[in-house]
Amino acid sequence: MNEFLSTLLQAVIIAAVPICAGAAIKGIRAAVQYLASKSESEIAKKYLMDVADAVSTAVTYTSQTYVDALKASGKFTKENQEEALKKAVEQAEKLLTAEARSFLEEAYGDLNAYLVSKIEAEVRVQKQQSNTITLGESFTAELKEAPDVTTVAAATAAATAAAVVQNAIPQTAPVQAPDSPQEGEEVLAV
């Protein structure tokens, strides 16, 4: 009996070791892939933040040093717009690190086309911001999650309906049911 258990245990171990090793290897590979993708996304996020900062700075710089003076003199033509874009692209490229430039070229291809699109978007954002009025101290708010429009609409409709019903109830006269006793008759309690 002892020999039988020993042989059975050896057979189970021989069968289980490759299965466990295979599962361990798959788990290790999955962990390595996860860590690699996480580190790549962290690096990408860093470079994209660097680009956003460089573009924002380049647009502000070009606006202050070139565009504002032309607009004030009334000489901001289509050619001057193109020149301003060129200056902003050059300034953004100067502000980018070699690693960020390399990342962008690898990720997006044409660095110039990428910067032009980002600069155009930043110009629009800055124009929209310049049309706003800030009263008092400015603040920054971070939205964690926007509410679902359908949920808000449904909640508003339900609250409105409840208010209408609540206001309508006291204003209506009580209706006597046909089985109710006539005036002056006693009602039996059950």
Side-chain angles (χ1 to χ4, degrees), residues 121-133:
E122 181 65 22
V123 167
R124 180 174 174 84
V125 167
Q126 288 188 13
K127 278 183 183 178
Q128 288 175 342
Q129 287 176 348
S130 69
N131 291 335
T132 60
I133 297 173

Side-chain angles (χ1 to χ4, degrees), residues 41-113:
S41 69
E42 291 296 321
I43 290 170
K45 190 185 302 183
K46 178 196 176 303
Y47 288 141
L48 292 175
M49 290 298 295
D50 290 348
V51 170
D53 289 342
V55 165
S56 178
T57 302
V59 168
T60 303
Y61 173 81
T62 304
S63 180
Q64 288 179 347
T65 60
Y66 184 71
V67 174
D68 290 348
L70 289 172
K71 284 184 176 179
S73 67
K75 297 179 183 177
F76 194 59
T77 63
K78 180 75 172 161
E79 292 80 23
N80 290 340
Q81 279 181 321
E82 291 170 3
E83 182 64 25
L85 179 60
K86 182 180 171 187
K87 287 178 182 280
V89 169
E90 289 171 358
Q91 185 63 31
E93 284 180 355
K94 286 179 190 175
L95 294 171
L96 289 175
T97 63
E99 294 85 15
R101 269 190 239 115
S102 175
F103 170 79
L104 290 171
E105 287 170 350
E106 184 178 315
Y108 298 104
D110 185 8
L111 177 63
N112 190 52

Side-chain angles (χ1 to χ4, degrees), residues 4 11 16 40 57 61 74 88 130 144 152 165:
F4 173 73
E40 285 176 17
T57 302
Y61 173 81
S130 69
K144 298 287 182 184
V152 172
V165 168

Side-chain angles (χ1 to χ4, degrees), residues 3-16:
E3 189 177 318
F4 173 73
L5 288 175
S6 176
T7 306
L8 181 63
L9 183 62
Q10 284 177 354
V12 168
I13 290 174
I14 290 173

